[in-house]
Amino acid sequence: MSLPIINSIASWVLKQRIHQIELFLKYPNEVQEELLMGLMKSAENTILGKEYEFESIKSYQTFKERIPISTYEDIEPFIERTRKGEQHVFWNEPIKWFAKSSGTTNAKSKYIPVSNSALDNCHYKGSKDLLCMYLNNNENSQLFTGKSLRLGGSKQLYEDNNSFFGDLSAILIDNLPFWAEYSSTPSNKTSLMSEWETKLLAIINETKIENVTSFAGVPSWMLVLLNKVLEETSNHNLFEVWPNLEVYFHGGVSFDPYREQYKKILPSSDFKYYEIYNASEGFFAIQDLNNSNDLLLMLDYGIFYEFIPMDVFGTENQKSIRLSEVELNKNYAIVITTNSGLWRYLIGDTVRFTSLNPYRIRVTGRTKHHINVFGEELMVENTDKAIAKTCKITNAEVIDYTVAPVFMKDKDKGGHEWIIEFRKQPDNIAHFTKTLDESIQAINSDYEAKRYNNMTLNQLTINVARNNLFYDWLKENDKLGGQHKIPRLSNNRDYLEQLLSIQNG
């Protein structure tokens, strides 16, 4: 069968899903309510279901009153029981897959349960829907006439008590149907290599001879790979390597700090960027329009959503609300109940709604990755945008950064201390610093108020990182490649001090 025919068939199959998506767009709150009742019905005979008497819960209000919001530490004992072979603890299907995730805030690994329902009706469904929306918006796409260059996690799967754990991407690759490998590059064997630097060269050698039409992966690590491709092939831009490139599917970290760098190596106004929001716990949202920064919240993936307004998060006034109660442009922490048996689980991400009909969001940061030492309520979304704006004004390029507070001492005012690694340094670091500070003030009114006449906060300060500082820090912490991310903001100085120690060591 010829590739153009395969492309046409694949496009037709994927577009059929549009009608189901239209259902939850029309009845979002009803779909979510029905989904919640279905999840409880499925799990009513589990250990957890009996403990909280799921059978007698007939409304969201009762669900909310009876089941507490939980963190990983709260549910770890239940997960450990399942990892050791006990089943029907928190979900009615046998669970043998666990996505190992250490995140950026904690060195201790988390083992997130992944049921077969979640694999089929959430993670894979999300991947198919992403393609469905892209094809629906780009009818002349030739996506399936070539291959997708995927950059996933770098851990092998490990077996323990008849359960398997590893990076989510490794679990997904291991469970893909055999034919899926034909539409992707590099091979599964190379994709799952664990040593990042060896893997990088293996990916380049395999993929440079393929007809690559799309990319999929985290922007920071993908940029490392693509710059290495240009270096190895002595080309100036990626269309010289792969002339049929048309789209980059990205997620995991904000694209804002990297956008201009991608435009340089992909110099075409026709090239598309599509963002997704997924994690070990589930596939949550997809960019559903060309040239958009907003993500459509997917409401029929076996995930019931609740939200905690960030202005009361962690206080005695903390309250959760359901989807029908959210407001535009407020920051919320996300709470999920899933078809893998996570019940009212706090995933640690924050979002704000940019549209209520349909429900569209933007990811604004992490509940632990913000700075609010002085009441400035600085979110990662703020700093990412400010960095992008400042780089444009000063003609600089940033690889990575992290920020920490400078605490008040005696009569000294507080402030924010940055460490930034540049790909291309600004001509004048003092001008860059001032521009960045002013850009944050323009984006965040709380920060602006604290900066007024240096009343509470002094102007931010910047440490210029040496080459490869963040890379070396990740390597030292065994976090190279794949899904690992740099913690952008912190209310303490731990990350900054570690980086400065390596820099000065």
Side-chain angles (χ1 to χ4, degrees):
M1 196 181 289
S2 71
L3 284 173
I5 293 173
I6 292 172
N7 188 67
S8 299
I9 292 171
S11 299
W12 181 84
V13 170
L14 291 164
K15 284 177 184 176
Q16 304 315 299
R17 167 69 175 137
I18 288 291
H19 303 300
Q20 293 170 304
I21 292 171
E22 284 169 352
L23 180 68
F24 78 69
L25 291 178
K26 193 172 181 181
Y27 304 107
N29 302 312
E30 293 84 347
V31 166
Q32 276 281 283
E33 204 82 7
E34 188 179 325
L35 192 151
L36 174 62
M37 295 304 147
L39 290 172
M40 283 190 293
K41 179 72 179 166
S42 295
E44 63 185 24
N45 291 318
T46 63
I47 291 167
L48 207 71
K50 288 175 181 173
E51 182 182 331
Y52 289 112
E53 299 179 353
F54 281 4
E55 193 177 1
S56 65
I57 298 176
K58 303 299 178 189
S59 70
Y60 168 67
Q61 193 58 38
T62 310
F63 170 75
K64 179 176 166 177
E65 288 166 1
R66 196 174 294 177
I67 302 163
I69 289 172
S70 60
T71 63
Y72 185 79
E73 288 68 32
D74 298 325
I75 63 172
E76 187 176 27
F78 293 106
I79 288 173
E80 284 307 300
R81 285 167 67 175
T82 304
R83 284 189 66 216
K84 288 173 181 169
E86 190 178 352
Q87 295 295 348
H88 295 87
V89 178
F90 45 78
W91 190 239
N92 66 322
E93 297 172 35
I95 292 191
K96 64 173 183 174
W97 301 101
F98 295 85
K100 187 179 178 185
S101 164
S102 59
T104 45
T105 57
N106 194 332
K108 188 179 178 186
S109 293
K110 297 176 183 177
Y111 294 90
I112 306 298
V114 181
S115 68
N116 286 335
S117 287
L119 279 174
D120 292 336
N121 298 321
C122 183
H123 293 290
Y124 292 140
K125 193 173 181 179
S127 299
K128 286 186 279 191
D129 281 353
L130 170 64
L131 296 173
C132 168
M133 289 178 189
Y134 175 75
L135 293 167
N136 197 55
N137 294 332
N138 300 280
E139 291 191 350
N140 296 321
S141 168
Q142 295 297 303
L143 197 65
F144 290 105
T145 61
K147 294 190 175 185
S148 176
L149 195 169
R150 62 188 178 191
L151 183 59
S154 52
K155 289 285 195 311
Q156 297 287 349
L157 289 172
Y158 300 96
E159 187 175 358
D160 183 23
N161 299 313
N162 292 318
S163 65
F164 298 83
F165 61 91
D167 274 9
L168 175 67
S169 54
I171 292 171
L172 295 177
I173 288 169
D174 200 65
N175 283 279
L176 280 171
F178 73 93
W179 51 262
E181 189 171 1
Y182 293 112
S183 64
S184 302
T185 186
S187 62
N188 289 357
K189 184 180 176 184
T190 300
S191 289
L192 294 173
M193 286 173 70
S194 55
E195 208 285 305
W196 168 250
E197 285 154 337
T198 310
K199 174 178 175 173
L200 204 61
L201 291 173
I203 290 174
I204 292 167
N205 287 332
E206 264 189 54
T207 59
K208 66 185 180 184
I209 56 172
E210 297 283 4
N211 174 27
V212 173
T213 54
S214 67
F215 302 135
V218 175
S220 48
W221 292 110
M222 183 62 80
L223 194 59
V224 172
L225 170 65
L226 297 179
N227 279 318
K228 191 76 174 168
V229 167
L230 292 178
E231 186 185 308
E232 292 289 318
T233 59
S234 302
N235 285 303
H236 296 99
N237 71 64
L238 293 165
F239 297 112
E240 294 172 2
V241 186
W242 300 298
N244 298 315
L245 282 173
E246 57 176 83
V247 62
Y248 172 29
F249 301 112
H250 62 86
V253 299
S254 168
F255 196 54
D256 282 342
Y258 306 102
R259 194 178 302 277
E260 294 304 314
Q261 295 178 60
Y262 273 91
K263 282 182 183 176
K264 284 186 177 176
I265 58 176
L266 291 159
S268 166
S269 57
D270 293 330
F271 187 80
K272 302 286 191 301
Y273 297 91
Y274 262 64
E275 186 174 354
I276 60 170
Y277 172 29
N278 67 338
S280 300
E281 296 86 354
F283 202 123
F284 306 126
I286 300 171
Q287 178 185 327
D288 63 320
L289 300 170
N290 285 343
N291 307 313
S292 172
N293 293 318
D294 301 334
L295 307 179
L296 181 69
L297 194 62
M298 305 303 287
L299 303 178
D300 63 349
Y301 284 4
I303 300 172
F304 178 77
Y305 292 98
E306 296 175 85
F307 304 89
I308 303 171
M310 280 304 286
D311 54 6
V312 295
F313 179 80
T315 71
E316 58 183 27
N317 297 319
Q318 176 173 300
K319 60 172 183 176
S320 62
I321 58 175
R322 55 185 156 178
L323 191 61
S324 59
E325 300 170 83
V326 299
E327 298 173 37
L328 284 177
N329 296 315
K330 282 186 73 169
N331 275 311
Y332 295 101
I334 303 184
V335 178
I336 59 171
T337 292
T338 77
N339 54 2
S340 280
L342 295 175
W343 297 95
R344 304 198 79 208
Y345 180 72
L346 196 62
I347 61 172
D349 288 344
T350 60
V351 300
R352 64 182 172 85
F353 284 83
T354 56
S355 163
L356 302 182
N357 185 23
Y359 288 104
R360 290 197 181 99
I361 60 170
R362 291 189 191 177
V363 182
T364 54
R366 302 276 294 166
T367 53
K368 293 182 180 178
H369 286 192
H370 65 282
I371 301 180
N372 196 28
V373 173
F374 311 102
E376 66 275 53
E377 294 192 31
L378 192 67
M379 307 293 291
V380 174
E381 183 187 36
N382 303 155
T383 53
D384 277 345
K385 279 187 175 171
I387 276 281
K389 183 180 174 183
T390 305
C391 282
K392 206 163 189 177
I393 291 169
T394 61
N395 197 28
E397 291 178 7
V398 164
I399 294 174
D400 267 312
Y401 72 88
T402 196
V403 191
V406 178
F407 296 105
M408 293 176 174
K409 189 177 179 184
D410 300 326
K411 292 183 180 179
D412 294 338
K413 296 187 178 75
H416 291 172
E417 185 175 358
W418 291 58
I419 186 162
I420 303 176
E421 185 177 341
F422 292 96
R423 186 182 305 281
K424 183 182 177 187
Q425 279 202 36
D427 295 332
N428 185 326
I429 195 69
H431 175 55
F432 183 95
T433 304
K434 185 172 184 291
T435 306
L436 179 58
D437 192 73
E438 289 169 352
S439 297
I440 299 171
Q441 291 184 55
I443 291 165
N444 182 318
S445 57
D446 291 312
Y447 182 83
E448 182 185 33
K450 303 299 180 290
R451 282 283 297 115
Y452 181 70
N453 287 338
N454 291 3
M455 201 172 290
T456 306
L457 292 176
N458 287 323
Q459 179 178 284
L460 63 87
T461 59
I462 293 176
N463 300 283
V464 177
R466 65 162 170 79
N467 287 347
N468 296 321
L469 176 67
F470 284 92
Y471 188 92
D472 292 343
W473 179 74
L474 288 167
K475 191 172 185 177
E476 207 170 272
N477 287 279
D478 194 28
K479 288 178 179 286
L480 276 186
Q483 315 301 305
H484 297 301
K485 306 156 197 168
I486 298 294
R488 298 295 195 207
L489 308 179
S490 177
N491 266 333
N492 62 53
R493 293 181 58 82
D494 294 354
Y495 300 125
L496 186 77
E497 295 295 354
Q498 287 174 30
L499 286 156
L500 289 174
S501 174
I502 298 172
Q503 166 113 329
N504 299 326

